Amino acid sequence: MCAEIDRMAEPPGWLLEAREWWFVLATVRINGVMDPSYHTHLGEDEARIGLVQEIHERVLRRFESFGEKMPRLSVPDGVWAFDGSVDTELFAETFASFAGVLRGEGEDLLGGRPVT
């Protein structure tokens, strides 16, 4: 998500704030439990939800392009020990669950309420 946001010409301020949180989750706080805090960063704003859905779709397509194993270069340096032997499916499935929450197919990961 962060890399996709970084590629944007002029991301809105709220998205840059969300990006900072998502970067912390992906680096400092990675521990198997991730809360993207959609309720905080997106609320019920359809435009925000739509933009993040578009970004999610780009990220999912990127995962698909990796093949069976996620390449080393796809993970930021210094995040964790990673030798390129991790199944791409592990990351893609987890990320797809976040995308499902945005589509209203699941519950907000914090607070247990549907995101619509």
PDB file of all heavy atoms in Angstrom, residues 46-86:
ATOM      1  N   GLU A  46     -17.355   7.609   1.010  1.00  0.00           N
ATOM      2  CA  GLU A  46     -17.325   6.745  -0.176  1.00  0.00           C
ATOM      3  C   GLU A  46     -16.121   7.034  -1.080  1.00  0.00           C
ATOM      4  O   GLU A  46     -15.553   6.119  -1.665  1.00  0.00           O
ATOM      5  CB  GLU A  46     -18.627   6.890  -0.969  1.00  0.00           C
ATOM      6  CG  GLU A  46     -19.850   6.358  -0.246  1.00  0.00           C
ATOM      7  CD  GLU A  46     -19.799   4.853  -0.033  1.00  0.00           C
ATOM      8  OE1 GLU A  46     -19.274   4.125  -0.901  1.00  0.00           O
ATOM      9  OE2 GLU A  46     -20.277   4.406   1.031  1.00  0.00           O
ATOM     10  N   ALA A  47     -15.748   8.296  -1.201  1.00  0.00           N
ATOM     11  CA  ALA A  47     -14.605   8.650  -2.050  1.00  0.00           C
ATOM     12  C   ALA A  47     -13.308   8.063  -1.484  1.00  0.00           C
ATOM     13  O   ALA A  47     -12.478   7.528  -2.230  1.00  0.00           O
ATOM     14  CB  ALA A  47     -14.495  10.158  -2.200  1.00  0.00           C
ATOM     15  N   ARG A  48     -13.141   8.147  -0.172  1.00  0.00           N
ATOM     16  CA  ARG A  48     -11.939   7.586   0.457  1.00  0.00           C
ATOM     17  C   ARG A  48     -11.920   6.066   0.306  1.00  0.00           C
ATOM     18  O   ARG A  48     -10.897   5.479  -0.050  1.00  0.00           O
ATOM     19  CB  ARG A  48     -11.881   7.959   1.939  1.00  0.00           C
ATOM     20  CG  ARG A  48     -11.566   9.403   2.179  1.00  0.00           C
ATOM     21  CD  ARG A  48     -11.475   9.716   3.655  1.00  0.00           C
ATOM     22  NE  ARG A  48     -11.157  11.119   3.879  1.00  0.00           N
ATOM     23  CZ  ARG A  48     -10.705  11.616   5.004  1.00  0.00           C
ATOM     24  NH1 ARG A  48     -10.537  10.821   6.054  1.00  0.00           N
ATOM     25  NH2 ARG A  48     -10.426  12.893   5.115  1.00  0.00           N
ATOM     26  N   ILE A  49     -13.053   5.449   0.585  1.00  0.00           N
ATOM     27  CA  ILE A  49     -13.138   3.986   0.464  1.00  0.00           C
ATOM     28  C   ILE A  49     -12.844   3.572  -0.970  1.00  0.00           C
ATOM     29  O   ILE A  49     -12.070   2.639  -1.211  1.00  0.00           O
ATOM     30  CB  ILE A  49     -14.517   3.485   0.931  1.00  0.00           C
ATOM     31  CG1 ILE A  49     -14.679   3.718   2.437  1.00  0.00           C
ATOM     32  CG2 ILE A  49     -14.707   2.005   0.587  1.00  0.00           C
ATOM     33  CD1 ILE A  49     -16.089   3.505   2.968  1.00  0.00           C
ATOM     34  N   GLY A  50     -13.418   4.286  -1.935  1.00  0.00           N
ATOM     35  CA  GLY A  50     -13.185   3.959  -3.345  1.00  0.00           C
ATOM     36  C   GLY A  50     -11.728   4.082  -3.745  1.00  0.00           C
ATOM     37  O   GLY A  50     -11.197   3.225  -4.449  1.00  0.00           O
ATOM     38  N   LEU A  51     -11.064   5.133  -3.294  1.00  0.00           N
ATOM     39  CA  LEU A  51      -9.651   5.322  -3.621  1.00  0.00           C
ATOM     40  C   LEU A  51      -8.805   4.204  -3.017  1.00  0.00           C
ATOM     41  O   LEU A  51      -7.936   3.638  -3.689  1.00  0.00           O
ATOM     42  CB  LEU A  51      -9.161   6.687  -3.143  1.00  0.00           C
ATOM     43  CG  LEU A  51      -7.685   6.999  -3.396  1.00  0.00           C
ATOM     44  CD1 LEU A  51      -7.336   6.881  -4.879  1.00  0.00           C
ATOM     45  CD2 LEU A  51      -7.342   8.386  -2.867  1.00  0.00           C
ATOM     46  N   VAL A  52      -9.063   3.856  -1.779  1.00  0.00           N
ATOM     47  CA  VAL A  52      -8.286   2.786  -1.140  1.00  0.00           C
ATOM     48  C   VAL A  52      -8.592   1.447  -1.807  1.00  0.00           C
ATOM     49  O   VAL A  52      -7.690   0.617  -1.977  1.00  0.00           O
ATOM     50  CB  VAL A  52      -8.527   2.764   0.383  1.00  0.00           C
ATOM     51  CG1 VAL A  52      -7.885   1.545   1.024  1.00  0.00           C
ATOM     52  CG2 VAL A  52      -7.956   4.041   1.012  1.00  0.00           C
ATOM     53  N   GLN A  53      -9.826   1.229  -2.264  1.00  0.00           N
ATOM     54  CA  GLN A  53     -10.147   0.003  -3.011  1.00  0.00           C
ATOM     55  C   GLN A  53      -9.328  -0.064  -4.302  1.00  0.00           C
ATOM     56  O   GLN A  53      -8.808  -1.135  -4.649  1.00  0.00           O
ATOM     57  CB  GLN A  53     -11.636  -0.054  -3.338  1.00  0.00           C
ATOM     58  CG  GLN A  53     -12.485  -0.432  -2.153  1.00  0.00           C
ATOM     59  CD  GLN A  53     -13.973  -0.373  -2.456  1.00  0.00           C
ATOM     60  OE1 GLN A  53     -14.439   0.535  -3.148  1.00  0.00           O
ATOM     61  NE2 GLN A  53     -14.711  -1.334  -1.936  1.00  0.00           N
ATOM     62  N   GLU A  54      -9.203   1.053  -4.997  1.00  0.00           N
ATOM     63  CA  GLU A  54      -8.396   1.086  -6.223  1.00  0.00           C
ATOM     64  C   GLU A  54      -6.940   0.733  -5.922  1.00  0.00           C
ATOM     65  O   GLU A  54      -6.305  -0.018  -6.671  1.00  0.00           O
ATOM     66  CB  GLU A  54      -8.469   2.467  -6.872  1.00  0.00           C
ATOM     67  CG  GLU A  54      -9.806   2.810  -7.474  1.00  0.00           C
ATOM     68  CD  GLU A  54      -9.868   4.243  -7.970  1.00  0.00           C
ATOM     69  OE1 GLU A  54      -8.795   4.860  -8.182  1.00  0.00           O
ATOM     70  OE2 GLU A  54     -10.990   4.750  -8.135  1.00  0.00           O
ATOM     71  N   ILE A  55      -6.421   1.283  -4.852  1.00  0.00           N
ATOM     72  CA  ILE A  55      -5.038   0.993  -4.473  1.00  0.00           C
ATOM     73  C   ILE A  55      -4.896  -0.475  -4.106  1.00  0.00           C
ATOM     74  O   ILE A  55      -3.932  -1.138  -4.508  1.00  0.00           O
ATOM     75  CB  ILE A  55      -4.582   1.923  -3.322  1.00  0.00           C
ATOM     76  CG1 ILE A  55      -4.576   3.379  -3.790  1.00  0.00           C
ATOM     77  CG2 ILE A  55      -3.196   1.508  -2.814  1.00  0.00           C
ATOM     78  CD1 ILE A  55      -4.421   4.389  -2.662  1.00  0.00           C
ATOM     79  N   HIS A  56      -5.862  -1.017  -3.368  1.00  0.00           N
ATOM     80  CA  HIS A  56      -5.849  -2.439  -3.019  1.00  0.00           C
ATOM     81  C   HIS A  56      -5.794  -3.303  -4.273  1.00  0.00           C
ATOM     82  O   HIS A  56      -5.050  -4.283  -4.319  1.00  0.00           O
ATOM     83  CB  HIS A  56      -7.099  -2.798  -2.206  1.00  0.00           C
ATOM     84  CG  HIS A  56      -6.940  -2.658  -0.739  1.00  0.00           C
ATOM     85  ND1 HIS A  56      -6.674  -3.716   0.079  1.00  0.00           N
ATOM     86  CD2 HIS A  56      -7.018  -1.577   0.071  1.00  0.00           C
ATOM     87  CE1 HIS A  56      -6.591  -3.296   1.326  1.00  0.00           C
ATOM     88  NE2 HIS A  56      -6.796  -1.999   1.350  1.00  0.00           N
ATOM     89  N   GLU A  57      -6.576  -2.957  -5.275  1.00  0.00           N
ATOM     90  CA  GLU A  57      -6.593  -3.744  -6.512  1.00  0.00           C
ATOM     91  C   GLU A  57      -5.223  -3.729  -7.189  1.00  0.00           C
ATOM     92  O   GLU A  57      -4.763  -4.751  -7.693  1.00  0.00           O
ATOM     93  CB  GLU A  57      -7.683  -3.243  -7.461  1.00  0.00           C
ATOM     94  CG  GLU A  57      -9.087  -3.544  -6.974  1.00  0.00           C
ATOM     95  CD  GLU A  57      -9.333  -5.022  -6.709  1.00  0.00           C
ATOM     96  OE1 GLU A  57      -8.908  -5.876  -7.522  1.00  0.00           O
ATOM     97  OE2 GLU A  57      -9.957  -5.330  -5.663  1.00  0.00           O
ATOM     98  N   ARG A  58      -4.560  -2.588  -7.194  1.00  0.00           N
ATOM     99  CA  ARG A  58      -3.211  -2.513  -7.778  1.00  0.00           C
ATOM    100  C   ARG A  58      -2.236  -3.398  -6.998  1.00  0.00           C
ATOM    101  O   ARG A  58      -1.402  -4.085  -7.587  1.00  0.00           O
ATOM    102  CB  ARG A  58      -2.721  -1.063  -7.804  1.00  0.00           C
ATOM    103  CG  ARG A  58      -3.441  -0.213  -8.835  1.00  0.00           C
ATOM    104  CD  ARG A  58      -2.718   1.088  -9.129  1.00  0.00           C
ATOM    105  NE  ARG A  58      -2.559   1.962  -7.985  1.00  0.00           N
ATOM    106  CZ  ARG A  58      -3.379   2.969  -7.675  1.00  0.00           C
ATOM    107  NH1 ARG A  58      -4.436   3.219  -8.426  1.00  0.00           N
ATOM    108  NH2 ARG A  58      -3.135   3.736  -6.629  1.00  0.00           N
ATOM    109  N   VAL A  59      -2.357  -3.383  -5.670  1.00  0.00           N
ATOM    110  CA  VAL A  59      -1.465  -4.206  -4.846  1.00  0.00           C
ATOM    111  C   VAL A  59      -1.735  -5.693  -5.090  1.00  0.00           C
ATOM    112  O   VAL A  59      -0.800  -6.482  -5.223  1.00  0.00           O
ATOM    113  CB  VAL A  59      -1.614  -3.850  -3.351  1.00  0.00           C
ATOM    114  CG1 VAL A  59      -0.835  -4.825  -2.479  1.00  0.00           C
ATOM    115  CG2 VAL A  59      -1.153  -2.422  -3.091  1.00  0.00           C
ATOM    116  N   LEU A  60      -3.002  -6.081  -5.178  1.00  0.00           N
ATOM    117  CA  LEU A  60      -3.332  -7.489  -5.436  1.00  0.00           C
ATOM    118  C   LEU A  60      -2.782  -7.929  -6.796  1.00  0.00           C
ATOM    119  O   LEU A  60      -2.259  -9.043  -6.920  1.00  0.00           O
ATOM    120  CB  LEU A  60      -4.838  -7.715  -5.350  1.00  0.00           C
ATOM    121  CG  LEU A  60      -5.401  -7.711  -3.936  1.00  0.00           C
ATOM    122  CD1 LEU A  60      -6.930  -7.713  -3.965  1.00  0.00           C
ATOM    123  CD2 LEU A  60      -4.884  -8.888  -3.126  1.00  0.00           C
ATOM    124  N   ARG A  61      -2.875  -7.076  -7.803  1.00  0.00           N
ATOM    125  CA  ARG A  61      -2.295  -7.411  -9.120  1.00  0.00           C
ATOM    126  C   ARG A  61      -0.775  -7.555  -9.015  1.00  0.00           C
ATOM    127  O   ARG A  61      -0.180  -8.407  -9.668  1.00  0.00           O
ATOM    128  CB  ARG A  61      -2.676  -6.359 -10.161  1.00  0.00           C
ATOM    129  CG  ARG A  61      -4.117  -6.490 -10.642  1.00  0.00           C
ATOM    130  CD  ARG A  61      -4.384  -5.655 -11.880  1.00  0.00           C
ATOM    131  NE  ARG A  61      -4.152  -4.227 -11.683  1.00  0.00           N
ATOM    132  CZ  ARG A  61      -5.044  -3.372 -11.207  1.00  0.00           C
ATOM    133  NH1 ARG A  61      -6.242  -3.780 -10.859  1.00  0.00           N
ATOM    134  NH2 ARG A  61      -4.744  -2.089 -11.075  1.00  0.00           N
ATOM    135  N   ARG A  62      -0.164  -6.736  -8.169  1.00  0.00           N
ATOM    136  CA  ARG A  62       1.290  -6.843  -7.983  1.00  0.00           C
ATOM    137  C   ARG A  62       1.637  -8.184  -7.345  1.00  0.00           C
ATOM    138  O   ARG A  62       2.585  -8.853  -7.758  1.00  0.00           O
ATOM    139  CB  ARG A  62       1.793  -5.685  -7.124  1.00  0.00           C
ATOM    140  CG  ARG A  62       3.285  -5.650  -7.019  1.00  0.00           C
ATOM    141  CD  ARG A  62       3.768  -4.372  -6.384  1.00  0.00           C
ATOM    142  NE  ARG A  62       5.213  -4.377  -6.348  1.00  0.00           N
ATOM    143  CZ  ARG A  62       5.921  -3.780  -5.426  1.00  0.00           C
ATOM    144  NH1 ARG A  62       5.331  -3.095  -4.470  1.00  0.00           N
ATOM    145  NH2 ARG A  62       7.222  -3.828  -5.450  1.00  0.00           N
ATOM    146  N   PHE A  63       0.871  -8.597  -6.334  1.00  0.00           N
ATOM    147  CA  PHE A  63       1.101  -9.914  -5.733  1.00  0.00           C
ATOM    148  C   PHE A  63       0.997 -11.008  -6.797  1.00  0.00           C
ATOM    149  O   PHE A  63       1.823 -11.915  -6.837  1.00  0.00           O
ATOM    150  CB  PHE A  63       0.087 -10.201  -4.621  1.00  0.00           C
ATOM    151  CG  PHE A  63       0.414  -9.567  -3.299  1.00  0.00           C
ATOM    152  CD1 PHE A  63      -0.560  -8.846  -2.621  1.00  0.00           C
ATOM    153  CD2 PHE A  63       1.654  -9.703  -2.713  1.00  0.00           C
ATOM    154  CE1 PHE A  63      -0.282  -8.267  -1.390  1.00  0.00           C
ATOM    155  CE2 PHE A  63       1.942  -9.131  -1.488  1.00  0.00           C
ATOM    156  CZ  PHE A  63       0.966  -8.404  -0.829  1.00  0.00           C
ATOM    157  N   GLU A  64      -0.019 -10.923  -7.650  1.00  0.00           N
ATOM    158  CA  GLU A  64      -0.206 -11.928  -8.701  1.00  0.00           C
ATOM    159  C   GLU A  64       0.998 -11.995  -9.627  1.00  0.00           C
ATOM    160  O   GLU A  64       1.337 -13.059 -10.131  1.00  0.00           O
ATOM    161  CB  GLU A  64      -1.465 -11.623  -9.503  1.00  0.00           C
ATOM    162  CG  GLU A  64      -2.743 -11.836  -8.714  1.00  0.00           C
ATOM    163  CD  GLU A  64      -3.981 -11.297  -9.420  1.00  0.00           C
ATOM    164  OE1 GLU A  64      -3.860 -10.755 -10.548  1.00  0.00           O
ATOM    165  OE2 GLU A  64      -5.076 -11.416  -8.836  1.00  0.00           O
ATOM    166  N   SER A  65       1.650 -10.870  -9.846  1.00  0.00           N
ATOM    167  CA  SER A  65       2.798 -10.839 -10.757  1.00  0.00           C
ATOM    168  C   SER A  65       4.042 -11.494 -10.166  1.00  0.00           C
ATOM    169  O   SER A  65       4.971 -11.813 -10.907  1.00  0.00           O
ATOM    170  CB  SER A  65       3.115  -9.394 -11.155  1.00  0.00           C
ATOM    171  OG  SER A  65       3.768  -8.705 -10.090  1.00  0.00           O
ATOM    172  N   PHE A  66       4.070 -11.704  -8.865  1.00  0.00           N
ATOM    173  CA  PHE A  66       5.261 -12.258  -8.221  1.00  0.00           C
ATOM    174  C   PHE A  66       5.461 -13.740  -8.506  1.00  0.00           C
ATOM    175  O   PHE A  66       6.562 -14.246  -8.394  1.00  0.00           O
ATOM    176  CB  PHE A  66       5.209 -12.073  -6.702  1.00  0.00           C
ATOM    177  CG  PHE A  66       5.336 -10.652  -6.240  1.00  0.00           C
ATOM    178  CD1 PHE A  66       4.769 -10.271  -5.048  1.00  0.00           C
ATOM    179  CD2 PHE A  66       6.017  -9.706  -6.979  1.00  0.00           C
ATOM    180  CE1 PHE A  66       4.875  -8.964  -4.590  1.00  0.00           C
ATOM    181  CE2 PHE A  66       6.129  -8.398  -6.542  1.00  0.00           C
ATOM    182  CZ  PHE A  66       5.553  -8.029  -5.347  1.00  0.00           C
ATOM    183  N   GLY A  67       4.409 -14.449  -8.810  1.00  0.00           N
ATOM    184  CA  GLY A  67       4.525 -15.888  -8.968  1.00  0.00           C
ATOM    185  C   GLY A  67       4.391 -16.575  -7.619  1.00  0.00           C
ATOM    186  O   GLY A  67       3.844 -16.018  -6.662  1.00  0.00           O
ATOM    187  N   GLU A  68       4.904 -17.780  -7.517  1.00  0.00           N
ATOM    188  CA  GLU A  68       4.714 -18.605  -6.325  1.00  0.00           C
ATOM    189  C   GLU A  68       5.398 -18.055  -5.080  1.00  0.00           C
ATOM    190  O   GLU A  68       4.875 -18.139  -3.973  1.00  0.00           O
ATOM    191  CB  GLU A  68       5.224 -20.024  -6.605  1.00  0.00           C
ATOM    192  CG  GLU A  68       4.918 -20.999  -5.505  1.00  0.00           C
ATOM    193  CD  GLU A  68       5.366 -22.405  -5.853  1.00  0.00           C
ATOM    194  OE1 GLU A  68       5.192 -22.820  -7.009  1.00  0.00           O
ATOM    195  OE2 GLU A  68       5.895 -23.083  -4.948  1.00  0.00           O
ATOM    196  N   LYS A  69       6.586 -17.515  -5.233  1.00  0.00           N
ATOM    197  CA  LYS A  69       7.349 -16.986  -4.099  1.00  0.00           C
ATOM    198  C   LYS A  69       7.489 -15.473  -4.218  1.00  0.00           C
ATOM    199  O   LYS A  69       7.746 -14.955  -5.290  1.00  0.00           O
ATOM    200  CB  LYS A  69       8.749 -17.609  -4.031  1.00  0.00           C
ATOM    201  CG  LYS A  69       8.754 -19.122  -3.903  1.00  0.00           C
ATOM    202  CD  LYS A  69       8.249 -19.561  -2.560  1.00  0.00           C
ATOM    203  CE  LYS A  69       8.317 -21.088  -2.446  1.00  0.00           C
ATOM    204  NZ  LYS A  69       7.717 -21.574  -1.232  1.00  0.00           N
ATOM    205  N   MET A  70       7.324 -14.798  -3.099  1.00  0.00           N
ATOM    206  CA  MET A  70       7.441 -13.351  -3.102  1.00  0.00           C
ATOM    207  C   MET A  70       8.923 -12.976  -3.175  1.00  0.00           C
ATOM    208  O   MET A  70       9.706 -13.391  -2.325  1.00  0.00           O
ATOM    209  CB  MET A  70       6.808 -12.791  -1.835  1.00  0.00           C
ATOM    210  CG  MET A  70       6.394 -11.356  -1.976  1.00  0.00           C
ATOM    211  SD  MET A  70       5.177 -10.959  -0.739  1.00  0.00           S
ATOM    212  CE  MET A  70       5.990  -9.622   0.047  1.00  0.00           C
ATOM    213  N   PRO A  71       9.298 -12.188  -4.173  1.00  0.00           N
ATOM    214  CA  PRO A  71      10.720 -11.856  -4.319  1.00  0.00           C
ATOM    215  C   PRO A  71      11.229 -10.953  -3.203  1.00  0.00           C
ATOM    216  O   PRO A  71      10.482 -10.169  -2.627  1.00  0.00           O
ATOM    217  CB  PRO A  71      10.776 -11.145  -5.669  1.00  0.00           C
ATOM    218  CG  PRO A  71       9.406 -10.659  -5.909  1.00  0.00           C
ATOM    219  CD  PRO A  71       8.479 -11.597  -5.208  1.00  0.00           C
ATOM    220  N   ARG A  72      12.488 -11.058  -2.919  1.00  0.00           N
ATOM    221  CA  ARG A  72      13.121 -10.284  -1.853  1.00  0.00           C
ATOM    222  C   ARG A  72      12.916  -8.787  -2.038  1.00  0.00           C
ATOM    223  O   ARG A  72      12.637  -8.076  -1.095  1.00  0.00           O
ATOM    224  CB  ARG A  72      14.618 -10.606  -1.787  1.00  0.00           C
ATOM    225  CG  ARG A  72      15.397  -9.721  -0.842  1.00  0.00           C
ATOM    226  CD  ARG A  72      14.964  -9.950   0.602  1.00  0.00           C
ATOM    227  NE  ARG A  72      15.657  -9.084   1.509  1.00  0.00           N
ATOM    228  CZ  ARG A  72      15.147  -7.986   2.063  1.00  0.00           C
ATOM    229  NH1 ARG A  72      13.927  -7.619   1.782  1.00  0.00           N
ATOM    230  NH2 ARG A  72      15.832  -7.269   2.900  1.00  0.00           N
ATOM    231  N   LEU A  73      12.990  -8.296  -3.226  1.00  0.00           N
ATOM    232  CA  LEU A  73      12.917  -6.864  -3.459  1.00  0.00           C
ATOM    233  C   LEU A  73      11.541  -6.271  -3.196  1.00  0.00           C
ATOM    234  O   LEU A  73      11.389  -5.071  -3.118  1.00  0.00           O
ATOM    235  CB  LEU A  73      13.342  -6.539  -4.895  1.00  0.00           C
ATOM    236  CG  LEU A  73      14.796  -6.840  -5.208  1.00  0.00           C
ATOM    237  CD1 LEU A  73      15.088  -6.556  -6.679  1.00  0.00           C
ATOM    238  CD2 LEU A  73      15.719  -6.017  -4.323  1.00  0.00           C
ATOM    239  N   SER A  74      10.543  -7.113  -3.019  1.00  0.00           N
ATOM    240  CA  SER A  74       9.195  -6.603  -2.789  1.00  0.00           C
ATOM    241  C   SER A  74       8.959  -6.208  -1.339  1.00  0.00           C
ATOM    242  O   SER A  74       7.961  -5.602  -1.012  1.00  0.00           O
ATOM    243  CB  SER A  74       8.161  -7.633  -3.219  1.00  0.00           C
ATOM    244  OG  SER A  74       8.284  -8.796  -2.440  1.00  0.00           O
ATOM    245  N   VAL A  75       9.896  -6.532  -0.452  1.00  0.00           N
ATOM    246  CA  VAL A  75       9.771  -6.201   0.968  1.00  0.00           C
ATOM    247  C   VAL A  75      10.803  -5.134   1.302  1.00  0.00           C
ATOM    248  O   VAL A  75      11.972  -5.278   0.961  1.00  0.00           O
ATOM    249  CB  VAL A  75       9.999  -7.456   1.841  1.00  0.00           C
ATOM    250  CG1 VAL A  75       9.917  -7.106   3.306  1.00  0.00           C
ATOM    251  CG2 VAL A  75       8.992  -8.532   1.488  1.00  0.00           C
ATOM    252  N   PRO A  76      10.388  -4.038   1.946  1.00  0.00           N
ATOM    253  CA  PRO A  76      11.356  -2.970   2.260  1.00  0.00           C
ATOM    254  C   PRO A  76      12.538  -3.476   3.083  1.00  0.00           C
ATOM    255  O   PRO A  76      12.377  -4.333   3.946  1.00  0.00           O
ATOM    256  CB  PRO A  76      10.533  -1.971   3.078  1.00  0.00           C
ATOM    257  CG  PRO A  76       9.113  -2.253   2.719  1.00  0.00           C
ATOM    258  CD  PRO A  76       9.052  -3.733   2.414  1.00  0.00           C
ATOM    259  N   ASP A  77      13.696  -2.932   2.791  1.00  0.00           N
ATOM    260  CA  ASP A  77      14.899  -3.303   3.542  1.00  0.00           C
ATOM    261  C   ASP A  77      14.696  -3.050   5.025  1.00  0.00           C
ATOM    262  O   ASP A  77      14.095  -2.070   5.433  1.00  0.00           O
ATOM    263  CB  ASP A  77      16.099  -2.481   3.061  1.00  0.00           C
ATOM    264  CG  ASP A  77      16.564  -2.916   1.687  1.00  0.00           C
ATOM    265  OD1 ASP A  77      16.258  -4.060   1.301  1.00  0.00           O
ATOM    266  OD2 ASP A  77      17.217  -2.116   1.009  1.00  0.00           O
ATOM    267  N   GLY A  78      15.220  -3.936   5.834  1.00  0.00           N
ATOM    268  CA  GLY A  78      15.211  -3.753   7.268  1.00  0.00           C
ATOM    269  C   GLY A  78      13.892  -4.075   7.944  1.00  0.00           C
ATOM    270  O   GLY A  78      13.757  -3.909   9.144  1.00  0.00           O
ATOM    271  N   VAL A  79      12.902  -4.550   7.179  1.00  0.00           N
ATOM    272  CA  VAL A  79      11.610  -4.844   7.788  1.00  0.00           C
ATOM    273  C   VAL A  79      11.710  -6.099   8.636  1.00  0.00           C
ATOM    274  O   VAL A  79      11.393  -6.097   9.809  1.00  0.00           O
ATOM    275  CB  VAL A  79      10.509  -4.992   6.721  1.00  0.00           C
ATOM    276  CG1 VAL A  79       9.219  -5.481   7.343  1.00  0.00           C
ATOM    277  CG2 VAL A  79      10.290  -3.673   6.027  1.00  0.00           C
ATOM    278  N   TRP A  80      12.150  -7.184   8.070  1.00  0.00           N
ATOM    279  CA  TRP A  80      12.358  -8.420   8.798  1.00  0.00           C
ATOM    280  C   TRP A  80      13.248  -9.310   7.956  1.00  0.00           C
ATOM    281  O   TRP A  80      13.460  -9.049   6.794  1.00  0.00           O
ATOM    282  CB  TRP A  80      11.045  -9.112   9.162  1.00  0.00           C
ATOM    283  CG  TRP A  80      10.241  -9.627   8.007  1.00  0.00           C
ATOM    284  CD1 TRP A  80      10.397 -10.824   7.368  1.00  0.00           C
ATOM    285  CD2 TRP A  80       9.163  -8.976   7.325  1.00  0.00           C
ATOM    286  NE1 TRP A  80       9.495 -10.952   6.348  1.00  0.00           N
ATOM    287  CE2 TRP A  80       8.726  -9.834   6.310  1.00  0.00           C
ATOM    288  CE3 TRP A  80       8.532  -7.756   7.485  1.00  0.00           C
ATOM    289  CZ2 TRP A  80       7.693  -9.508   5.450  1.00  0.00           C
ATOM    290  CZ3 TRP A  80       7.493  -7.440   6.627  1.00  0.00           C
ATOM    291  CH2 TRP A  80       7.080  -8.302   5.639  1.00  0.00           C
ATOM    292  N   ALA A  81      13.773 -10.342   8.558  1.00  0.00           N
ATOM    293  CA  ALA A  81      14.617 -11.272   7.815  1.00  0.00           C
ATOM    294  C   ALA A  81      13.743 -11.957   6.774  1.00  0.00           C
ATOM    295  O   ALA A  81      12.736 -12.567   7.103  1.00  0.00           O
ATOM    296  CB  ALA A  81      15.229 -12.295   8.762  1.00  0.00           C
ATOM    297  N   PHE A  82      14.103 -11.850   5.530  1.00  0.00           N
ATOM    298  CA  PHE A  82      13.276 -12.346   4.445  1.00  0.00           C
ATOM    299  C   PHE A  82      14.178 -12.724   3.299  1.00  0.00           C
ATOM    300  O   PHE A  82      14.915 -11.894   2.789  1.00  0.00           O
ATOM    301  CB  PHE A  82      12.287 -11.246   4.024  1.00  0.00           C
ATOM    302  CG  PHE A  82      11.291 -11.685   2.997  1.00  0.00           C
ATOM    303  CD1 PHE A  82      10.176 -12.394   3.377  1.00  0.00           C
ATOM    304  CD2 PHE A  82      11.482 -11.384   1.667  1.00  0.00           C
ATOM    305  CE1 PHE A  82       9.251 -12.801   2.437  1.00  0.00           C
ATOM    306  CE2 PHE A  82      10.564 -11.790   0.716  1.00  0.00           C
ATOM    307  CZ  PHE A  82       9.449 -12.498   1.104  1.00  0.00           C
ATOM    308  N   ASP A  83      14.136 -13.975   2.903  1.00  0.00           N
ATOM    309  CA  ASP A  83      15.069 -14.433   1.881  1.00  0.00           C
ATOM    310  C   ASP A  83      14.412 -14.737   0.542  1.00  0.00           C
ATOM    311  O   ASP A  83      15.030 -15.323  -0.333  1.00  0.00           O
ATOM    312  CB  ASP A  83      15.821 -15.663   2.377  1.00  0.00           C
ATOM    313  CG  ASP A  83      14.885 -16.833   2.658  1.00  0.00           C
ATOM    314  OD1 ASP A  83      13.672 -16.729   2.388  1.00  0.00           O
ATOM    315  OD2 ASP A  83      15.378 -17.861   3.152  1.00  0.00           O
ATOM    316  N   GLY A  84      13.169 -14.370   0.375  1.00  0.00           N
ATOM    317  CA  GLY A  84      12.497 -14.611  -0.894  1.00  0.00           C
ATOM    318  C   GLY A  84      11.899 -15.997  -1.013  1.00  0.00           C
ATOM    319  O   GLY A  84      11.525 -16.421  -2.097  1.00  0.00           O
ATOM    320  N   SER A  85      11.781 -16.719   0.097  1.00  0.00           N
ATOM    321  CA  SER A  85      11.242 -18.072   0.044  1.00  0.00           C
ATOM    322  C   SER A  85       9.811 -18.174   0.573  1.00  0.00           C
ATOM    323  O   SER A  85       9.270 -19.260   0.657  1.00  0.00           O
ATOM    324  CB  SER A  85      12.137 -19.025   0.839  1.00  0.00           C
ATOM    325  OG  SER A  85      12.092 -18.681   2.214  1.00  0.00           O
ATOM    326  N   VAL A  86       9.198 -17.049   0.914  1.00  0.00           N
ATOM    327  CA  VAL A  86       7.848 -17.060   1.474  1.00  0.00           C
ATOM    328  C   VAL A  86       6.831 -17.122   0.348  1.00  0.00           C
ATOM    329  O   VAL A  86       6.952 -16.408  -0.656  1.00  0.00           O
ATOM    330  CB  VAL A  86       7.605 -15.816   2.354  1.00  0.00           C
ATOM    331  CG1 VAL A  86       6.182 -15.772   2.862  1.00  0.00           C
ATOM    332  CG2 VAL A  86       8.591 -15.799   3.511  1.00  0.00           C
TER     333      VAL A  86
END
